[in-house]
């Protein structure tokens, strides 16, 4: 006689209904346009403002000095002009190079310049005489839509956004004009004795109709761009015209996109222009509203942000989310691409809307610090931290059983636990009434590290065994939904979780809000449940069924 083992797994994906809050920690910094770090290990914070000053702060937010101060005779600050972008060379610690984007006095031009700190470790003001002009873009007819953000990509090249030249509706036709550097994302190589060089891998170098510097076309006013420090993906916040604000997403290294302005605005056609299949859709857009714009999820001017990759335990619920806000409505968003690829982005997108960040002004810029934490700067000169108001519950990656002699070894993988208390192992013969048969205390691991506990249980031949692992956590508010996994039973066939629901292999999914089983919520259909609960203690169950049958040898 031998025992034949059939294992069917059910996984639960738990993601926090994370909310974020803004807390002011500094004021008097002018209208903030950029917040960044030097990447030199000093943890210093550099804050640029519209009038041309770059302040240096310590990691405890005390003022250390001024890195750069552009005089009024050098910079124009009318309308949307000013010092709009700051980026430090990846080797700033040794070469002292940093780059700024500003509008020269008396013009509507955009200028990218390099300055050099004589002592990169000091907090001294850098001499204006060290300026090296990298690029001046002269084509803009108006004082608005200057974009201006600067960022070094994981490839070491300098990326920056340009607006369409201003006015309403792109009157210069810059968006779809490949011979204009306006309304684009540009990529250049600044590691040269010349002002700059063209990377040979730029996407349009072989296209005579599009300038070699261009990385992406068809943007209106990309107000803040950023790279995910973990994946290298590019995120762009592009301000809309009349109807939609948009967020664009590019997997690492995939330039050559046309985001459609001025033929499209967000996912919508603009001004009756024909839509082209060559246009790249945004990953997300949202509608516009009029002041005071109290409706969550709406706004009038997007401020792009960053993907959170910090290490504060209390901010674990923000991990992997792109965090951004609207300048005028002050509403915020956290969005996450769960697809793992460029395809199916909208279907895999997780969106959390934050109603009215408690700021005293409009958010003009986000910034990522050297330690991965995120800050926000306001138009009234205030600088503040962005933190989570709810911690992350357990996220289950897998749950399986393997027969070893006369017992089954249960194993599961979890990640990003916060305040987990213990795991309880439960067994049932009918799938409805479960008995606790063991306890497994949680062992703390660093955030983001996978945790792989195991538990061995004796089995009865000929019986049906349903197992639960119960996670007890003391968090306050969670959002639950079923995550689809693919399982390969021993005979080699492959089923997704929803296939197994359809075939009747999986009968029950349980989420319990109390230890009392009579209060369970039972889902018996292949429909993804989305439920909000608010209780102090949560019991999260993932189950699978092990069926043992006798068969003659």
């Amino acid at each position: 006689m031998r025992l034949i083992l059939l294992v069917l797994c059910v996984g639960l994906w738990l993601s926090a209904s994370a909310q974020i809050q803004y807390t002011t920690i500094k004021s008097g910094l002018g209208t903030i346009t950029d917040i960044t770090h030097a990447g030199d290990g000093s943890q210093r914070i550099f804050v640029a403002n519209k009038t041309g000053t770059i302040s240096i702060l310590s990691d405890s937010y005390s003022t250390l000095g001024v890195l750069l101060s552009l005089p009024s005779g050098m910079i124009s600050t009318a309308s949307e002009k000013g010092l709009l972008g700051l980026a430090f060379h990846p080797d700033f610690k040794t070469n002292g190079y940093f780059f700024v984007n500003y509008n020269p006095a008396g013009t509507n031009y955009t200028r990218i310049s390099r300055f050099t700190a004589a002592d990169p470790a000091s907090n001294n003001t850098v001499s204006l005489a060290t300026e090296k002009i990298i690029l001046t873009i002269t084509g803009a007819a108006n004082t608005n839509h200057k974009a201006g953000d600067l960022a070094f990509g994981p490839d070491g090249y300098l990326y920056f956004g340009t607006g369409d030249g201003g006015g309403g509706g792109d009157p210069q036709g810059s968006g779809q004009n490949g011979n204009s550097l306006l309304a684009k994302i540009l990529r250049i190589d600044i590691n040269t004795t010349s002002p700059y060089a063209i990377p040979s891998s730029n996407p349009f170098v072989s296209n005579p109709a599009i300038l070699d510097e261009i990385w992406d076309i068809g943007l209106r006013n990309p107000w803040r761009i950023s790279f995910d420090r973990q994946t290298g993906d590019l995120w762009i916040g592009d301000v809309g015209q009349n109807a939609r604000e948009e967020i664009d997403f590019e997997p690492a290294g995939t330039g050559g996109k046309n985001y459609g302005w001025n033929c499209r605005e967000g996912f919508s056609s603009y001004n009756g222009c024909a839509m082209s299949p060559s246009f790249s859709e945004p990953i997300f857009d949202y509608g516009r509203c009029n002041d005071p714009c109290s409706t969550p999820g709406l706004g009038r001017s997007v401020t792009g942000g960053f993907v959170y990759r910090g290490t504060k335990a209390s901010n674990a619920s923000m991990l992997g989310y792109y965090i951004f806000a609207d300048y005028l409505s002050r509403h915020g968003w956290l969005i996450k691409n769960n697809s793992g690829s460029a395809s199916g982005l909208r279907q895999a997108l997780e969106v959390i809307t934050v109603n009215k960040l408690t700021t005293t002004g409009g958010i003009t810029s986000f910034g990522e610090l050297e330690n991965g934490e995120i800050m926000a700067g306001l138009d009234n000169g205030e600088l503040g931290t962005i933190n989570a108001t709810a911690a992350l519950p357990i996220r289950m990656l897998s749950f399986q059983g393997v027969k070893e002699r006369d017992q089954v070894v249960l194993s599961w993988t979890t990640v990003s636990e916060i305040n987990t208390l213990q795991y309880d192992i439960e067994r049932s013969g009918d799938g409805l009434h479960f008995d606790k048969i063991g306890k497994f205390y949680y062992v703390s691991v660093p955030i983001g590290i996978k945790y792989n506990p195991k538990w061995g249980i004796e089995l009865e031949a000929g019986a049906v065994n349903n197992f639960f692992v119960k996670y007890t956590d003391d968090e306050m508010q969670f959002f639950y939904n079923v995550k689809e996994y693919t399982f390969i039973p021993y005979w080699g066939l492959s089923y997704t979780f929803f296939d197994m629901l359809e075939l009747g292999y999986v009968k029950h999914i349980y989420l319990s809000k109390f230890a009392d089983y009579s209060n369970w919520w039972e889902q018996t259909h292949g429909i993804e449940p989305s439920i909000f609960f608010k209780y102090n203690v949560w019991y999260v169950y993932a189950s699978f069924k092990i069926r043992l049958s006798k068969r003659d040898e």
Side-chain angles (χ1 to χ4, degrees):
M1 306 291 288
R2 61 179 177 174
L3 298 178
I4 304 299
L5 176 66
L6 170 63
V7 180
L8 298 176
C9 303
V10 176
L12 294 180
W13 168 272
L14 288 75
S15 100
S17 57
Q19 296 292 307
I20 56 174
Q21 64 182 4
Y22 167 89
T23 304
T24 299
I25 48 87
K26 194 82 172 177
S27 60
L29 294 169
T31 298
I32 296 173
T33 53
D34 214 344
I35 309 159
T36 190
H37 63 88
D40 59 357
S42 70
Q43 305 298 321
R44 290 178 295 175
I45 304 166
F46 296 83
V47 183
N49 70 24
K50 190 173 184 290
T51 57
T53 299
I54 302 173
S55 298
I56 310 172
L57 308 180
S58 71
D59 58 357
S60 60
Y61 315 117
S62 61
T63 301
L64 300 176
V66 172
L67 178 68
L68 185 69
S69 181
L70 301 180
S72 59
M74 186 175 178
I75 184 173
S76 176
T77 60
S79 183
E80 296 178 10
K81 296 186 290 184
L83 173 56
L84 303 178
L86 167 66
F88 288 84
H89 191 284
D91 294 325
F92 170 79
K93 187 175 182 178
T94 56
N95 62 27
Y97 296 162
F98 63 95
F99 298 79
V100 297
N101 184 327
Y102 72 95
N103 307 114
T107 76
N108 291 324
Y109 299 170
T110 287
R111 175 166 291 166
I112 311 298
S113 286
R114 188 191 80 190
F115 289 85
T116 304
D119 180 2
S122 77
N123 298 310
N124 299 327
T125 301
V126 171
S127 169
L128 298 177
T130 66
E131 181 181 22
K132 176 183 179 180
I133 297 174
I134 304 298
L135 174 65
T136 300
I137 301 173
T138 62
N142 296 284
T143 61
N144 59 339
H145 299 180
K146 299 303 176 187
D149 208 5
L150 299 168
F152 278 93
D155 51 18
Y157 296 129
L158 182 63
Y159 293 70
F160 53 99
T162 62
D164 64 5
D170 191 12
Q172 295 180 243
S174 304
Q176 297 301 308
N177 181 0
N179 286 309
S180 171
L181 294 180
L182 298 174
K184 312 295 190 295
I185 299 295
L186 308 180
R187 183 176 79 153
I188 59 174
D189 181 359
I190 47 70
N191 292 309
T192 174
T193 56
S194 302
Y196 69 91
I198 304 294
S200 60
S201 56
N202 270 14
F204 299 109
V205 291
S206 300
N207 187 336
I210 301 177
L211 296 175
D212 293 346
E213 292 90 341
I214 295 173
W215 180 255
D216 294 317
I217 71 174
L219 294 142
R220 181 179 178 274
N221 187 24
W223 186 248
R224 309 302 88 182
I225 66 174
S226 66
F227 289 94
D228 183 336
R229 64 164 58 184
Q230 179 173 303
T231 66
D233 298 335
L234 175 62
W235 294 79
I236 306 166
D238 196 18
V239 179
Q241 179 67 48
N242 297 322
R244 312 298 297 180
E245 304 291 314
E246 76 177 61
I247 299 294
D248 299 311
F249 169 85
E250 292 180 12
T254 58
K257 311 292 186 185
N258 183 347
Y259 289 106
W261 178 251
N262 63 352
C263 282
R264 69 181 305 158
E265 183 182 8
F267 288 104
S268 304
S269 174
Y270 176 78
N271 203 27
C273 183
M275 300 284 273
S276 168
S278 66
F279 293 158
S280 295
E281 290 190 337
I283 189 173
F284 179 75
D285 76 346
Y286 62 92
R288 287 193 143 210
C289 57
N290 296 320
D291 284 336
C293 197
S294 58
T295 304
L298 299 179
R300 284 173 57 193
S301 183
V302 66
T303 297
F306 287 83
V307 175
Y308 179 78
R309 298 296 181 187
T311 57
K312 286 176 64 174
S314 58
N315 283 343
S317 60
M318 304 192 309
L319 278 170
Y321 283 95
Y322 177 70
I323 299 172
F324 66 100
D326 189 273
Y327 167 68
L328 289 168
S329 73
R330 305 184 191 177
H331 299 314
W333 289 262
L334 298 88
I335 63 176
K336 181 187 287 186
N337 169 21
N338 289 320
S339 73
S341 68
S343 62
L345 289 178
R346 291 186 75 186
Q347 291 75 18
L349 192 65
E350 184 177 350
V351 180
I352 299 170
T353 303
V354 181
N355 183 20
K356 287 288 185 186
L357 288 167
T358 55
T359 61
T360 58
I363 292 181
T364 47
S365 186
F366 287 92
E368 183 181 43
L369 305 187
E370 197 164 4
N371 61 9
E373 298 304 315
I374 292 178
M375 302 194 77
L378 310 187
D379 58 1
N380 63 6
E382 289 187 357
L383 177 71
T385 56
I386 296 293
N387 291 299
T389 59
L392 181 71
I394 296 165
R395 180 155 62 98
M396 187 178 211
L397 301 182
S398 66
F399 187 22
Q400 61 184 349
V402 177
K403 182 183 179 297
E404 294 182 3
R405 296 178 181 170
D406 293 329
Q407 67 173 215
V408 63
V409 176
L410 306 180
S411 63
W412 58 95
T413 303
T414 58
V415 69
S416 300
E417 293 91 342
I418 296 295
N419 299 327
T420 302
L421 301 178
Q422 67 189 43
Y423 303 95
D424 292 331
I425 313 299
E426 300 182 355
R427 179 168 59 187
S428 170
D430 60 8
L432 296 174
H433 303 90
F434 284 79
D435 296 317
K436 179 178 175 179
I437 59 174
K439 180 188 295 184
F440 194 99
Y441 283 104
Y442 170 67
V443 178
S444 179
V445 294
I447 293 174
I449 301 300
K450 294 179 180 179
Y451 184 45
N452 302 94
K454 291 186 177 181
W455 188 272
I457 303 169
E458 292 185 359
L459 297 173
E460 294 182 39
V464 174
N465 294 268
N466 296 274
F467 291 97
F468 277 140
V469 171
K470 180 175 75 175
Y471 301 85
T472 305
D473 201 347
D474 62 0
E475 305 305 331
M476 293 296 294
Q477 180 175 328
F478 299 88
F479 168 81
Y480 296 86
N481 69 317
V482 176
K483 180 176 176 63
E484 181 175 337
Y485 287 103
T486 299
F487 309 104
I488 304 177
Y490 78 96
W491 57 82
L493 298 178
S494 178
Y495 294 104
T496 67
F497 169 67
F498 292 106
D499 290 336
M500 293 191 294
L501 278 170
E502 188 70 24
L503 292 169
Y505 292 141
V506 178
K507 296 297 185 183
H508 305 286
I509 305 167
Y510 294 105
L511 301 180
S512 175
K513 55 186 177 182
F514 298 109
D516 180 359
Y517 297 145
S518 64
N519 288 297
W520 283 7
W521 173 84
E522 180 179 338
Q523 169 72 34
T524 58
H525 306 290
I527 301 173
E528 189 169 272
S530 300
I531 299 179
F532 284 92
F533 296 123
K534 289 186 178 180
Y535 290 92
N536 290 335
V537 179
W538 284 89
Y539 302 87
V540 182
Y541 295 86
S543 73
F544 63 84
K545 180 185 296 183
I546 298 176
R547 182 182 298 275
L548 296 173
S549 60
K550 296 181 179 180
R551 183 175 298 179
D552 292 334
E553 293 183 341

